[in-house]
Amino acid sequence: QVQLVESGGGPVQPGGSLRLSCAASGGTLGDYVMGWFRQAPGKEREFVAHIVQKDTRTYYGSYADSVKGRFIISIEKGKNTVFLQMNSLKPEDTAVYYCAAGTLGGTRENQYGYWGQGTQVTVSS
């Protein structure tokens, strides 16, 4: 069983940066696929990024086209923490961001069984 808690959200100006953190407890990150989703007001929840683990030391991030080249997902296994570095932020990035964990993972919500409470990111001048 895994519990996830996001942090690091807040207000930011267009072009600015934020780093979101997802602290996990009750499990081992190496046993799960980790991902980030977001939900804007009046919109459905959408995929942002997830980690593809090749082995213990090697992984790469998979990203939605809307954030590719601007966002970077990374993991610190020793501290059971997943990060989402967000650069060159745009107003359309405004949303509640959710950390998720699943035994398989992918780009769809139903592929993840564990979710955090979400953290608000607001991009405006």
Side-chain angles (χ1 to χ4, degrees):
Q1 187 77 357
V2 176
Q3 294 81 47
L4 306 173
V5 180
E6 303 97 333
S7 63
V12 63
Q13 295 182 0
S17 298
L18 284 175
R19 188 182 73 165
L20 306 184
S21 299
C22 173
S25 62
T28 303
L29 287 184
D31 296 333
Y32 299 92
V33 175
M34 305 299 299
W36 288 93
F37 289 74
R38 67 186 182 185
Q39 187 167 24
K43 302 289 186 178
E44 68 277 4
R45 192 172 300 182
E46 66 176 354
F47 166 77
V48 175
H50 78 95
I51 285 176
V52 180
Q53 194 79 44
K54 299 178 67 175
D55 53 51
T56 302
R57 285 291 196 92
T58 306
Y59 69 89
Y60 62 90
S62 181
Y63 303 91
D65 288 342
S66 59
V67 307
K68 192 172 298 181
R70 299 188 297 121
F71 290 11
I72 301 172
I73 187 171
S74 61
I75 188 168
E76 174 56 65
K77 292 183 178 179
K79 298 181 179 179
N80 290 327
T81 303
V82 174
F83 303 96
L84 184 68
Q85 177 67 46
M86 305 186 295
N87 302 313
S88 301
L89 284 162
K90 307 173 181 179
E92 52 262 46
D93 294 318
T94 296
V96 177
Y97 283 71
Y98 297 90
C99 178
T103 56
L104 179 60
T107 63
R108 300 183 65 86
E109 292 182 57
N110 61 10
Q111 295 173 311
Y112 296 85
Y114 305 97
W115 294 83
Q117 82 288 351
T119 185
Q120 177 71 49
V121 173
T122 303
V123 186
S124 63
S125 299

